[in-house]
Every structure is written in structure tokens, then in C-alpha cells.
């Protein structure tokens, strides 16, 4: 295969996470990345995290339908619950020490896991909000509501799901299976 022996291409990295790094984005060759990250500079600690910001924005945009029931109301309630979790994580994440100490302490690893789940919820909401409406299944909140039940892993109380929520997602999965389509967001045609 041509070019197989070449060094990996440089990828843009946020240098502020790297020791001695600034805030500008620059290309860092993959083989030259430092072994330690400075966790004090994670976006959650300085409000520079675009996924956390998108979570806050989605919850604010859904605030008017909180508590009204139905799929959209449940989605809004779950979005607000994840924002509450993000707020609860802010101070403990600021206390994470730099260097390998954080990687060796199970408590810091638990915080990282919780934060990753909050960011997963943010990505789910951003994907649901960002779709263009051309795919009716993605336009409906049912799939996002079911995906956000990952909040149960964080101890977030899960609301009762609307009865049509699971049925809508299962019907779509069966339809895709019969049509030879993938069960991801793209519903791409599978090889025969």
C-alpha cells in the first residue's frame, strides 16, 4: 500500500490541554503527543467546553415544554437533569490535580466517567436538534429520549417514558432490519 511507511499525519489538537500549551489550535504530530494531560484545563473547569455549552443551550430551548408530558416533555426533563449533573460536576472537576496523580486515583476516574456520560447526553441532544427534518424518525424525539436513559447510570431519576416511545424505536429498527439498513443514525444500506 503506497505511503504505508509514512509517519501519521498531524492532527489539530487543543494545545491548552497539553503541558505548556497555549490556547491556539495547532497541528501536533501524533507520535509527539506528551504522555500526560493537565486535567485542570478541561473545558468544564473554564466554561470553554462546546458540548457542555450545547447541553445548556438545548435544555434552555426545551425549557418551555418541561413537565408537560409526551416525548418532548420527557426529553426536556432529561436535558435539565443532565444540566444539573453538569453543574454538580463543575467544582469537583476543578479540583482534579494535574499529571498522573489524577489517573491513579479512582475518584478522579469516576468523575471522568460521569463527565463523559454528560457529554454523551449533550451529543445526543445536539444530534437531535441539528437534524434537518428530512428523516421523520430522527425528527421525532423518541430515539433521543431512549438514548438519554443512560442517565440512569449517573443516578438521574428517569421519568416514565411515553408508551409510544419504545414502540416507535422498535418499529423503526424492525423496518431497517427488513430493508437491509443499519441501525445507526444514518440508516445506510448494508452489504448483501
Amino acid at each position: 500500500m503506497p505511503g504505508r511507511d509514512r509517519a501519521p499525519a498531524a492532527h489539530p489538537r487543543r494545545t491548552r490541554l497539553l503541558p505548556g500549551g497555549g490556547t491556539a489550535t495547532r497541528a501536533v504530530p501524533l507520535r509527539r503527543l506528551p504522555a500526560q494531560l493537565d486535567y485542570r484545563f478541561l473545558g468544564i473547569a473554564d466554561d470553554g467546553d462546546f458540548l457542555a455549552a450545547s447541553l445548556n443551550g438545548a435544555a434552555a430551548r426545551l425549557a418551555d415544554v418541561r413537565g408537560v408530558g409526551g416525548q418532548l416533555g420527557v426529553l426536556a426533563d432529561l436535558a435539565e437533569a443532565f444540566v444539573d449533573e453538569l453543574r454538580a460536576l463543575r467544582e469537583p472537576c476543578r479540583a482534579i490535580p494535574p499529571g498522573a496523580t489524577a489517573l491513579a486515583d479512582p475518584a478522579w476516574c469516576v468523575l471522568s466517567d460521569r463527565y463523559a456520560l454528560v457529554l454523551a447526553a449533550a451529543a445526543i441532544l445536539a444530534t437531535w436538534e441539528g437534524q434537518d427534518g428530512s428523516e421523520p424518525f430522527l425528527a421525532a424525539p423518541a430515539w433521543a429520549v431512549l438514548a438519554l436513559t443512560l442517565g440512569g447510570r449517573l443516578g438521574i431519576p428517569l421519568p416514565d417514558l411515553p408508551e409510544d416511545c419504545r414502540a416507535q424505536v422498535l418499529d423503526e429498527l424492525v423496518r431497517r432490519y427488513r430493508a437491509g439498513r443499519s441501525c445507526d443514525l444514518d440508516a445506510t444500506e448494508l452489504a448483501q
Side-chain angles (χ1 to χ4, degrees):
M1 182 180 276
R4 187 178 181 132
D5 296 328
R6 283 188 296 179
H11 293 279
R13 298 281 189 233
R14 295 292 295 178
T15 58
R16 68 185 180 146
L17 291 178
L18 305 175
T23 58
T25 301
R26 65 182 170 99
V28 177
L30 289 178
R31 293 183 184 174
R32 294 194 180 114
L33 288 175
Q36 297 180 4
L37 297 178
D38 190 342
Y39 283 93
R40 293 175 303 161
F41 296 113
L42 282 174
I44 192 170
D46 69 356
D47 299 326
D49 185 333
F50 73 92
L51 270 175
S54 75
L55 175 61
N56 285 315
R61 287 183 290 277
L62 290 166
D64 290 343
V65 294
R66 284 195 65 225
V68 300
Q71 292 179 9
L72 202 53
V74 170
L75 187 68
D77 292 341
L78 286 167
E80 187 60 31
F82 278 101
V83 168
D84 290 343
E85 179 67 19
L86 180 63
R87 285 184 195 117
L89 287 171
R90 205 169 292 259
E91 287 307 315
C93 284
R94 283 188 175 123
I96 296 175
T101 305
L103 298 175
D105 187 338
W108 303 129
C109 293
V110 168
L111 276 178
S112 296
D113 183 55
R114 294 182 76 79
Y115 183 56
L117 290 171
V118 169
L119 294 184
I124 290 164
L125 286 162
T127 301
W128 178 76
E129 280 193 313
Q131 54 81 33
D132 63 7
S134 62
E135 171 60 46
F137 175 70
L138 293 180
W143 71 269
V145 167
L146 284 180
L148 289 179
T149 61
L150 67 87
R153 291 182 52 194
L154 294 170
I156 291 174
L158 299 178
D160 292 331
L161 298 180
E163 289 188 26
D164 62 340
C165 200
R166 282 188 183 95
Q168 209 174 335
V169 172
L170 288 174
D171 288 348
E172 177 67 12
L173 292 174
V174 169
R175 185 189 70 76
R176 288 181 183 194
Y177 172 77
R178 290 180 178 153
R181 299 252 171 222
S182 64
C183 293
D184 59 7
L185 294 173
D186 296 322
T188 54
E189 187 174 348
L190 298 174
Q192 298 295 326

